[in-house]
Amino acid sequence: MSGEPDDDRLTEAGLPPEGTGRVLILACGALAREVLALRDMHGWRHLDIQCLPAILHNHPERIVPAVEAAAEAARGRYERIFVAYADCGTGGLLEAACRRLGVEMIAGPHCYSFFEGNATFAARGEMTAFYLTDFLVRQFDAFVWRPLGLDRHPELRDAYFGHYETLVHLAQTEDPELTERARACAERLGLRFERRFTGYGDLAEALARAARV
């Protein structure tokens, strides 16, 4: 695959598999760039990548049916399937579905946790932080501003974000321009800004396990 995938396409349509490789990584579209970067970094050419629409992030009730359908459609074409989702608001239903399907998934409640490292994230116990990954910074309007109606009713900002104190950018890459975009998101929400460089966090080890065949 040449070039980086388009964020708008990842949001609405996801990314189809290339149809090659022995292991399918069935991922959230919000993780596409990171999963592809790790594959290329380590030369895991036996991994095929399929991403479901990232906008499912805003509709967790749709994640389990989408993962089940994609996994069943891929069954028999790969030696293994690995689900690159954490719980992601499914209340344990995705984990139960993966057990039924006989596939492994990433441990943790959500991508904010596994990017920072599940143990580190849990130890912080933060209750007043609003998190954005690199992808969500780039797609802030599509995932936060417009879905909450803040483009039409900015006066609702305090109703949605009054209990938050800080916007935390969990950064996967060193990108000064993206940092400034994240800072601007914090200003729009009236929150303090903090940046934490996480790199790929627990995702790297999870994919390394998936790559072992």
Side-chain angles (χ1 to χ4, degrees):
M1 181 176 297
S2 60
E4 292 186 329
D6 177 76
D7 286 329
D8 290 337
R9 180 186 176 198
L10 291 173
T11 294
E12 298 298 336
L15 190 71
E18 295 176 338
T20 60
R22 293 179 290 155
V23 177
L24 177 67
I25 306 298
L26 184 57
C28 171
L31 303 179
R33 292 192 186 206
E34 290 74 26
V35 171
L36 290 167
L38 283 165
R39 183 186 70 174
D40 294 345
M41 181 189 309
H42 294 284
W44 293 329
R45 303 314 305 174
H46 61 294
L47 299 187
D48 198 2
I49 313 299
Q50 178 180 356
C51 294
L52 301 180
I55 199 61
L56 294 178
H57 174 280
N58 285 12
H59 304 280
E61 74 280 1
R62 301 179 188 174
I63 292 175
V64 173
V67 168
E68 288 180 323
E72 291 293 355
R75 192 177 296 280
R77 295 191 284 118
Y78 299 91
E79 294 179 16
R80 292 177 60 200
I81 298 172
F82 181 84
V83 174
Y85 277 87
D87 181 74
C88 298
T90 68
L93 294 178
L94 182 58
E95 182 180 6
C98 286
R99 284 199 301 268
R100 290 195 302 271
L101 292 165
V103 301
E104 187 182 355
M105 62 181 282
I106 299 177
H110 38 61
C111 62
Y112 313 126
S113 179
F114 68 65
F115 272 138
E116 188 159 25
N118 285 320
T120 298
F121 188 90
R124 288 186 185 275
E126 293 173 321
M127 302 298 292
T128 60
F130 182 73
Y131 302 98
L132 294 178
T133 63
D134 283 0
F135 179 85
L136 291 175
V137 171
R138 294 192 302 268
Q139 291 292 93
F140 180 78
D141 283 346
F143 279 79
V144 180
W145 203 252
R146 291 198 300 269
L148 293 178
L150 294 172
D151 55 330
R152 303 179 303 279
H153 301 286
E155 69 276 7
L156 294 176
R157 182 183 62 182
D158 289 346
Y160 286 123
F161 293 95
H163 62 292
Y164 291 109
E165 297 177 358
T166 306
L167 184 149
V168 179
H169 174 202
L170 300 172
Q172 285 70 69
T173 57
E174 296 288 4
D175 185 335
E177 180 180 350
L178 198 60
T179 298
E180 290 310 306
R181 290 177 65 176
R183 191 186 308 277
C185 292
E187 291 175 359
R188 291 168 73 182
L189 297 178
L191 303 177
R192 293 196 301 267
F193 176 68
E194 180 182 346
R195 179 186 184 273
R196 298 176 194 161
F197 178 73
T198 66
Y200 302 121
D202 291 349
L203 178 64
E205 176 55 31
L207 286 191
R209 290 197 307 273
R212 298 184 192 121
V213 293

